[in-house]
Amino acid sequence: FFDYEFKPGYKLRIGQHKTKFGYINNRSSSRLYVVNRPEVGDALSRGINLRDIGASLIVDRPVGDKHRAEYWLSVVNGAGMNTQRDNNEAKNVFGRVGLGSRGDGFRWRWGVSGAVGDAFETSSKPAFAEKGGYFLKFKRVGTDLQLRADRFEFLTEFLIGDHKEKGVSERMHGYYATLIGKTSGRWGPVLSYDSINDTEDVRVTLGGYYGKPNDVFRFLLNYEFRGAVDTGRLYLWTLVRI
């Protein structure tokens, strides 16, 4: 993609890029404090993929001396990333409006997002042999909050989505909450919880990190508990930014 800043704080992005919805999916994986994104990020914060082809208006401007406002709007094909075929029925629209604090010390950021669109799901079943799949239509809304202080950082997001596929309508909701401890050094503990519909894809993550989000070298240690019968998974993750 490429960006065109037509006035200070106002940017037009054209090409294949992340659709503008919520917080977690618009933050680079290299700058997170957990190895895996929350499941709700895959299920309710995007279309068929995290990235799509289209255009986005990105506005980030100051409001007075202590606050800043964010306005994001994406209009994309809806066919997902790395594809030349626009195989769905309409363009997909994603957007977010947010407000946050400026300056040092305690900071906060809050936003509300919405999305509407459709996606083509491929299927080899005989009922869909003629078209090779079926359409999934969706409407979504969400809210996100981030709190940052000298000794902790707290991230949370709650989303609701209405999906219709194969003539059946379903409403889903999901959320995550992540607490990051900060020390006088470059390390700290991490605790995160996320779920879909309160009982599906429930995950608790315990761990720690070494290195801040923009550091050249970072290391993450995560242990994940998924559901009542899962024995857990241990993740060791490292990054060297060149």
Side-chain angles (χ1 to χ4, degrees):
F1 66 86
F2 68 89
D3 290 339
Y4 172 63
E5 188 172 14
F6 53 91
K7 63 183 296 187
Y10 291 77
K11 185 186 301 181
L12 180 65
R13 179 167 293 175
I14 300 175
Q16 178 170 279
H17 57 280
K18 294 179 180 180
T19 51
K20 300 305 177 185
F21 185 103
Y23 171 79
I24 197 69
N25 275 354
N26 278 282
R27 190 153 179 82
S28 171
S29 297
S30 67
R31 289 173 168 84
L32 297 178
Y33 287 96
V34 291
V35 175
N36 295 313
R37 296 180 187 271
E39 295 289 349
V40 71
D42 293 339
L44 292 171
S45 292
R46 61 179 72 174
I48 196 166
N49 293 119
L50 174 56
R51 292 172 174 82
D52 213 316
I53 298 172
S56 292
L57 175 65
I58 305 170
V59 179
D60 189 340
R61 57 186 299 272
V63 179
D65 296 331
K66 297 183 178 181
H67 300 91
R68 64 185 182 93
E70 300 171 323
Y71 308 96
W72 301 346
L73 180 66
S74 298
V75 181
V76 297
N77 283 341
M81 61 186 291
N82 299 333
T83 178
Q84 296 179 344
R85 186 175 66 166
D86 188 4
N87 61 359
N88 56 332
E89 295 180 324
K91 302 304 178 186
N92 290 356
V93 180
F94 298 82
R96 180 181 180 275
V97 176
L99 184 67
S101 61
R102 300 171 64 196
D104 299 326
F106 179 78
R107 288 178 294 166
W108 60 270
R109 182 170 177 252
W110 172 75
V112 177
S113 301
V116 60
D118 65 353
F120 185 77
E121 297 281 355
T122 59
S123 176
S124 59
K125 293 183 178 181
F128 308 107
E130 182 179 350
K131 295 183 178 180
Y134 57 91
F135 287 100
L136 164 68
K137 298 184 182 295
F138 63 82
K139 295 179 182 178
R140 296 167 185 164
V141 66
T143 184
D144 60 89
L145 174 68
Q146 300 90 51
L147 305 174
R148 293 183 175 90
D150 292 338
R151 291 303 183 189
F152 76 91
E153 186 169 334
F154 178 72
L155 315 171
T156 187
E157 197 164 350
F158 177 80
L159 304 101
I160 298 174
D162 289 325
H163 296 121
K164 184 176 182 180
E165 58 179 309
K166 295 181 285 188
V168 178
S169 297
E170 178 187 15
R171 171 163 290 186
M172 301 170 59
H173 70 271
Y175 59 91
Y176 68 85
T178 302
L179 181 62
I180 302 131
K182 296 182 178 180
T183 67
S184 57
R186 313 192 76 80
W187 59 273
V190 176
L191 172 64
S192 186
Y193 178 90
D194 66 279
S195 74
I196 296 176
N197 293 341
D198 296 320
T199 58
E200 301 172 28
D201 296 313
V202 176
R203 174 171 53 184
V204 177
T205 302
L206 298 173
Y209 67 91
Y210 176 84
K212 297 182 178 180
N214 295 325
D215 283 359
V216 172
F217 173 77
R218 298 190 70 212
F219 178 82
L220 303 181
L221 171 66
N222 285 180
Y223 192 83
E224 292 185 354
F225 302 89
R226 290 176 177 259
V229 298
D230 197 336
T231 56
R233 296 179 176 91
L234 178 66
Y235 292 89
L236 304 175
W237 178 96
T238 189
L239 168 87
V240 178
R241 184 176 283 111
I242 299 175

